[in-house]
Amino acid sequence: MTDPGGAPAGRRLLLGRQLLDHQIVDQDGRLAGKVDDVELTLPEDRDHGRPVVTALLSGRGALASRLGGPLGRLASVLSRRILPDPCDADGDADPDAPDGRIWFGDVTDLGNHVTVAVDAADLATDAVEQAVRRTFVDRIPGAKEPGA
Amino acid sequence: MKRFLGITLGVLTAMGGFVDIGDIVANAQTGARFRMALAWAVVLGVVGICVFAEMAGRVAAVSQRPVFDLVRERLGAGVGLANLLASFFITFLTLTAEIAGVALALQLATDVHYLLWLPLCGLLVWLVIWRVRFESMERIFGLLGLVLIVLAVALWRLEPDWGGLVDSARHPAVPLGEGRPTYFYYAIALFGAAMTPYEVFFFSSGAVEERWSRRDLILNKANVFIGFPLGGMLSLALMGLTATVFAPVGIGPDHLSTVALPVSVALGKVGLALVIVGFFAATFGAALETGLSAGYTVSQYFGWPWGKRFAPREASRFHVVVLVSILVAVLFGLTAVDPIKVTEYSIVLSAAALPLTYVPILLVANDPDYMGDLVNRRLSNVLGTVYLVLLVLVALVTIPLMVVTKAGA
């Protein structure tokens, strides 16, 4: 299914209906954001290659830029303001920081959920979760145990 | 006993929907002004919420997908976001009113002004959400809310003119002195209260919190078909009480203490004490339901980890949304905004947003990719479709009616 040069046989997937806006679940069953957008790569040689689904986009403004319009722009600006940025002030990217891309090769199952073979903690959407946890939630007593 | 406790999710959901602060007063007012001539709107609402809550619970049990997850998936990111904004706003307004409602119940018991109780009530609601396990929470407040059965007992003790009540329910007519638009405005308020979207958000998320699976479909049915009719019965009992006590003398109860009056007339101090406990439990339950729903909707739209089955730090963003919602609700409540007006507005506004929540449930409940052999039967689809048409009609007339009747004045 993920083989770009494969024959047309195999399971067909409707991007809009069966992929976009679906829940992403990590290898341990943790909820890890939504499929905010899907990235296709067109081959350089259009006559012989096929477009390949390269990545699912989740977090890091993917939703805001997809929504567009005034609301989307506002969300974009807000998310850049509020959310931690993996780039430093000069714009040098931290090569290990998640950029919101999940390689399609990491997708292990496509059902009601999109299951991926990575740890949610390594994904962009979880960086915000971690930041909120570190700066705020962990400081409230009782944050570490489930309810009694 | 365990089986019985299994239906507390449905009971708590229904209490929060049917006998929360706004409904307590709205039902009391309609009883006093229209006697039982609007009972049909409650019955219509009970059937509607049963149809969709059963679907939502079944989808959650089979696919572990709560309602707002489906909303984003089926309506797409844009329309889903519009629904999120509307639903969140309604839920937040209701949360404000419920926290104030808890404070009003305490004022009734202590004579200390409710604004002084308000911050403490907000803190208590948050503490329960932060620290109490979901099952314990739903059992405590679901069971405590059952104390409101005292409303039905009081009605029975008053020995009302049953024939007259049933007659006014079976042959509904707009009473003299009331306009037709006002009558329909209240009909929508009652119908909207029965079908508020936060009930399905809470119910389906609760099913996931309790890890329901395909084996729990009977439990789902029991929750739905016992919980919601029970809530509806209590709101009808309240309507009957005020129809019996207030309608003949032309008094319109617009405060919680006036609503409690018929119960103390019928059952004395014990009745009054019980009804105050019941009001406290029902409004507190509704505050939990709306507070959690605020977190559920936002988290499920964005795909964040959510819920009380994890330690709070595992669902940090969810808990921040809940905490901030409660905090802002308390601040909003402290401006001395009339909590009863707030819920009335939020219920009527929610009627305008209902179709966007119920369409995705109906779609997914019919999707074999999710449901396998447990897709909707024909009856659910017929009823679901009829109700959707009705919801769209209601959504269209709600705002104009609100303007024309000056919100039922």
Side-chain angles (χ1 to χ4, degrees):
Chain A
M1 174 167 51
T2 55
D3 178 8
R11 183 176 162 199
R12 293 187 185 198
L13 195 71
L14 301 174
L15 290 189
R17 166 83 170 66
Q18 291 170 299
L19 201 53
L20 215 49
D21 292 317
H22 278 238
Q23 179 72 48
I24 300 172
V25 172
D26 86 345
Q27 54 196 10
D28 305 315
R30 263 176 66 85
L31 302 178
K34 297 267 173 170
V35 180
D36 291 329
D37 216 334
V38 177
E39 184 187 80
L40 299 181
T41 304
L42 301 174
E44 280 172 30
D45 176 8
R46 296 246 183 144
D47 295 333
H48 296 96
R50 293 166 186 278
V52 186
V53 177
T54 35
L56 307 179
L57 303 188
S58 180
R60 291 224 60 82
L63 178 64
S65 71
R66 177 170 147 224
L67 284 173
L71 206 62
R73 278 194 295 277
L74 179 71
S76 267
V77 172
L78 282 179
S79 76
R80 248 175 282 136
R81 275 283 166 97
I82 299 169
L83 307 185
D85 199 315
C87 304
D88 61 25
D90 307 325
D92 299 329
D94 170 359
D96 295 330
D99 62 354
R101 270 195 180 71
I102 300 170
W103 296 113
F104 200 75
D106 286 333
V107 172
T108 50
D109 186 38
L110 287 163
N112 297 339
H113 296 122
V114 176
T115 313
V116 294
V118 286
D119 188 346
D122 298 330
L123 297 177
T125 169
D126 210 70
V128 187
E129 178 83 22
Q130 291 163 27
V132 172
R133 182 182 304 154
R134 220 173 27 244
T135 53
F136 186 68
V137 172
D138 268 352
R139 299 182 185 193
I140 307 173
K144 293 185 175 71
E145 314 108 65
Chain B
M1 192 60 186
K2 190 135 200 290
R3 288 220 163 157
F4 175 69
L5 287 177
I7 63 158
T8 48
L9 175 62
V11 172
L12 179 58
T13 310
M15 291 280 173
F18 284 85
V19 280
D20 65 319
I21 183 69
D23 291 321
I24 289 170
V25 178
N27 281 305
Q29 281 176 341
T30 45
R33 285 173 69 167
F34 304 95
R35 303 193 73 222
M36 301 303 279
L38 281 168
W40 61 268
V42 176
V43 176
L44 194 69
V46 170
V47 175
I49 189 69
C50 282
V51 169
F52 284 101
E54 189 278 325
M55 279 184 222
R58 178 156 39 93
V59 171
V62 173
S63 68
Q64 276 70 54
R65 313 292 304 271
V67 166
F68 228 86
D69 204 339
L70 310 176
V71 166
R72 162 108 187 240
E73 199 182 288
R74 287 307 157 111
L75 299 182
V79 181
L81 184 64
N83 187 8
L84 176 67
L85 293 174
S87 299
F88 185 85
F89 181 63
I90 293 156
T91 308
F92 166 77
L93 283 183
T94 316
L95 173 64
T96 304
E98 302 309 335
I99 296 176
V102 179
L104 282 171
L106 289 176
Q107 173 179 339
L108 216 51
T110 60
D111 268 343
V112 175
H113 197 271
Y114 85 96
L115 285 179
L116 291 173
W117 284 115
L118 204 64
L120 184 70
C121 294
L123 180 67
L124 276 177
V125 169
W126 173 74
L127 268 178
V128 170
I129 293 181
W130 181 256
R131 285 307 303 150
V132 180
R133 218 158 49 89
F134 193 90
E135 283 88 349
S136 321
M137 177 192 92
E138 87 182 19
R139 282 175 190 177
I140 294 167
F141 291 97
L143 292 179
L144 206 56
L146 288 179
V147 171
L148 278 179
I149 290 176
V150 70
L151 293 171
V153 177
L155 179 60
W156 171 69
R157 279 292 298 265
L158 279 176
E159 295 174 9
D161 167 19
W162 290 108
L165 287 182
V166 171
D167 198 50
S168 94
R170 285 186 55 189
H171 306 285
V174 183
L176 281 174
E178 300 283 2
R180 200 166 278 270
T182 314
Y183 178 79
F184 283 106
Y185 175 80
Y186 276 101
I188 286 179
L190 292 173
F191 179 70
M195 296 200 68
T196 44
Y198 64 77
E199 286 171 282
V200 284
F201 301 150
F202 181 74
F203 186 68
S204 67
S205 303
V208 177
E209 296 258 33
E210 292 188 6
R211 300 170 205 277
W212 285 8
S213 67
R214 296 174 83 98
R215 279 175 311 185
D216 297 306
L217 289 174
I218 304 274
L219 190 64
N220 176 41
K221 281 211 166 72
N223 269 282
V224 169
F225 295 118
I226 296 172
F228 292 105
L230 181 72
M233 186 206 79
L234 291 179
S235 49
L236 287 178
L238 192 54
M239 213 185 257
L241 271 178
T242 55
T244 305
V245 175
F246 293 131
V249 288
I251 296 174
D254 49 9
H255 198 268
L256 203 56
S257 55
T258 342
V259 177
L261 195 66
V263 181
S264 53
V265 169
L267 301 169
K269 279 192 175 153
V270 178
L272 184 64
L274 286 176
V275 86
I276 291 175
V277 170
F279 284 165
F280 174 83
T283 48
F284 204 101
L288 294 172
E289 182 169 345
T290 45
L292 281 167
S293 291
Y296 288 150
T297 47
V298 175
S299 305
Q300 288 162 12
Y301 176 86
F302 288 107
W304 304 337
W306 55 270
K308 290 172 53 49
R309 57 206 184 284
F310 312 114
R313 74 188 305 270
E314 303 297 326
S316 298
R317 284 172 289 187
F318 165 76
H319 275 283
V320 166
V321 173
V322 172
L323 174 60
V324 171
S325 304
I326 294 175
L327 199 66
V328 178
V330 168
L331 291 176
F332 184 36
L334 282 176
T335 62
V337 52
D338 180 358
I340 286 150
K341 272 276 164 279
V342 170
T343 32
E344 280 176 14
Y345 281 114
S346 80
I347 286 168
V348 174
L349 287 178
S350 75
L354 282 173
L356 284 183
T357 295
Y358 290 112
V359 165
I361 300 177
L362 185 62
L363 290 178
V364 171
N366 275 296
D367 188 335
D369 284 353
Y370 291 79
M371 304 301 292
D373 54 336
L374 293 167
V375 289
N376 272 359
R377 305 270 174 84
R378 181 185 291 245
L379 180 65
S380 293
N381 279 336
V382 170
L383 283 173
T385 312
V386 168
Y387 268 91
L388 273 184
V389 173
L390 191 62
L391 287 170
V392 171
L393 288 177
V394 165
L396 290 176
V397 300
T398 295
I399 309 276
L401 258 186
M402 195 168 186
V403 175
V404 167
T405 64
K406 300 192 180 66

